[in-house]
Amino acid sequence: MIKKQRFKLTRVTGLAAAAITAVVLAGVPIANANIQRLAFSGGPDGGTFQFFSNGIATLLSRNVEGVDVSNMASAGSVENLRRVNSRDADFGIVYAGDLYLGVQGQLTNDTAQYRNTRAASFLYGAPAHLLVLEGSGITEVAQLEGKQVAVGPAGSGAAASAQRFFESLGLWDKIRPQFIGYNQGASALGDRQIDALWVFAGFPNASVIQAATSNKVRLLQVWDAAQQGSLPQDHPYYVKVTIPAGTYSGVDYDVVTISDGALWVAGRHISEDLMYQAISEIYSEQGLAFMHSVSQAATAMTLASGLEGVVTPVHAGAQKFWIEQGKTLTDDQK
């Protein structure tokens, strides 16, 4: 079969060479000759990152002329940062905190400075939930001194965010962190084996629902507590988010907390014109409607929230777009 295919190709080339040359000289484009093939690095199969990356890749491939964007599975935020920085991918999704620390050369056990990755826009936030039992008498974060707090598995993003938060308040060495997962933590809270549960994820979260359905819980006001310490200065990418009253059973008040934003990022090698076309497509009325249908979390994507939590350089093409939308870029974003 292979020999037969080669023979046919040779004959076609010989017979049609003059015709193809004439087409090229006449300036008629050959189909797919100028397609730019790009890669979007997302996340694990079935995860939120993957829904976003597949949605954006689909829209760009469908609506931006001359572009074909393929969606890549990934371990997540830090891998995406590294891939885009090294041009193994062209676009990706990276948490604002990882991007900020990566630019500074301050990632855990990694002093490389990832300066070829540029922010394009904010996609959605992963807010902190800090739960205690209603009958515990704990109403303020400071009261967790000496208490057992489930913070997520060791090495997880949740545990890292918990450490940053409690360190900023001088409490990390004064609490007793328990490195367990969300579901296990929800059960442990109900069984009085721990005093508090830290969940760093979009809302409504299944583990928080589990805890709030089985017990009467209180969500502490994390944002107000954070303002009492060094978190705003040390980790400026955290933004203010409100978990509305009624999101969880028995929690009939707004909870104001901190959130790390998932950002759409692009390699510095992407041309200004292409980036401008891409972001204009995604943030068009039709583009946003499509993205909102892809994931509930995507409803956070709006023109108003486009640069929320971005404290690192923005791609030149995205800068042009956001300035046209009336945004004033900060020095860190330029």
Side-chain angles (χ1 to χ4, degrees), residues 95-175:
Y95 280 121
D98 289 331
L99 182 55
Y100 174 82
L101 295 172
V103 169
Q104 306 292 327
Q106 296 175 357
L107 286 171
T108 303
N109 300 321
D110 184 356
T111 57
Q113 293 182 308
Y114 296 93
R115 293 184 171 174
N116 294 324
T117 303
R118 295 286 188 263
S121 74
F122 169 87
L123 298 177
Y124 70 97
H129 303 65
L130 186 51
L131 291 77
V132 296
L133 294 176
E134 182 65 48
S136 66
I138 299 171
T139 58
E140 302 288 341
V141 173
Q143 293 174 288
L144 292 176
E145 182 174 341
K147 305 295 187 183
Q148 295 190 89
V149 182
V151 296
S156 67
S161 65
Q163 183 170 350
R164 292 168 195 159
F165 172 70
F166 286 109
E167 277 184 343
S168 75
L169 296 172
L171 286 174
W172 181 249
D173 295 330
K174 298 177 182 178
I175 66 169

Side-chain angles (χ1 to χ4, degrees), residues 11 16 23 43 66 71 74 81 85 100 140 143 156 165 192 234 242 246-247 250 277 285 287 293 298 306-307 329:
R11 288 192 60 197
V23 168
N71 184 40
S74 162
L81 171 64
N85 196 78
Y100 174 82
E140 302 288 341
Q143 293 174 288
S156 67
F165 172 70
R192 275 69 172 174
D234 296 342
T242 298
T247 299
Q277 290 183 64
E285 184 176 346
S293 73
L307 292 177
L329 274 67

Side-chain angles (χ1 to χ4, degrees), residues 273-316:
D273 181 61
L274 175 56
M275 186 70 248
Y276 177 79
Q277 290 183 64
I279 198 166
S280 297
E281 177 57 42
I282 298 303
Y283 280 86
S284 67
E285 184 176 346
Q286 297 79 8
L288 286 175
F290 177 82
M291 291 303 301
H292 293 173
S293 73
V294 165
S295 169
Q296 181 180 353
T299 56
M301 288 178 66
T302 65
L303 290 172
S305 69
L307 292 177
E308 210 169 84
V310 177
V311 290
T312 52
V314 175
H315 192 286

